[in-house]
Amino acid sequence: MSAPLIVSIPHRLGREEATRRLKAGLTRAVSSIPVLKVDEERWEDDRMVFRVRALGQAASGHLDVADDHVRLEVTLPWLLQRFAEVAQVAIRNRGNLLLTKRS
């Protein structure tokens, strides 16, 4: 099994506001990436469990919201591992936009 892709994004919003922004913004963020489809998105308190599909490959993971950071962990199939570095940068950039812009 492959090592998970882990992205940690710091924020100063507190857990409640960060969770609110992520719940509202994730659907918009995913819709702007044509090759990505969300198969499952389920929130359990401060954790989102998800399954996504890209290029015919499924990936699953979770996102944990803490008081001062968000940590995303996703296990990619071998085909998508080739795009892990690009995905990590894109996830961090989108996350920073959601967690730092004023609402």
Side-chain angles (χ1 to χ4, degrees):
M1 179 168 242
S2 65
L5 171 69
I6 298 172
V7 180
S8 184
I9 304 166
H11 67 80
R12 296 179 182 172
L13 301 170
R15 187 183 315 245
E16 193 173 303
E17 176 63 11
T19 301
R20 185 192 70 75
R21 288 186 184 199
L22 288 167
K23 285 181 178 180
L26 285 175
T27 303
R28 278 194 323 270
V30 169
S31 68
S32 69
I33 305 169
V35 297
L36 190 63
K37 179 182 181 281
V38 177
D39 290 337
E40 176 186 9
E41 178 185 324
R42 184 180 75 247
W43 282 89
E44 300 168 353
D45 298 318
D46 297 321
R47 172 176 276 204
M48 180 185 70
V49 177
F50 63 88
R51 278 186 302 118
V52 294
R53 186 172 303 279
L55 304 172
Q57 301 290 307
S60 61
H62 60 272
L63 180 144
D64 293 308
V65 183
D67 290 332
D68 62 351
H69 71 281
V70 172
R71 182 179 185 275
L72 176 124
E73 183 174 323
V74 60
T75 302
L76 299 172
W78 68 271
L79 182 63
L80 294 180
Q81 287 176 10
R82 298 180 66 184
F83 304 102
E85 192 174 314
V86 173
Q88 191 172 30
V89 170
I91 291 166
R92 186 170 283 117
N93 289 342
R94 296 259 182 204
N96 280 328
L97 282 174
L98 283 171
L99 297 171
T100 58
K101 70 177 185 179
R102 296 178 191 228
S103 31

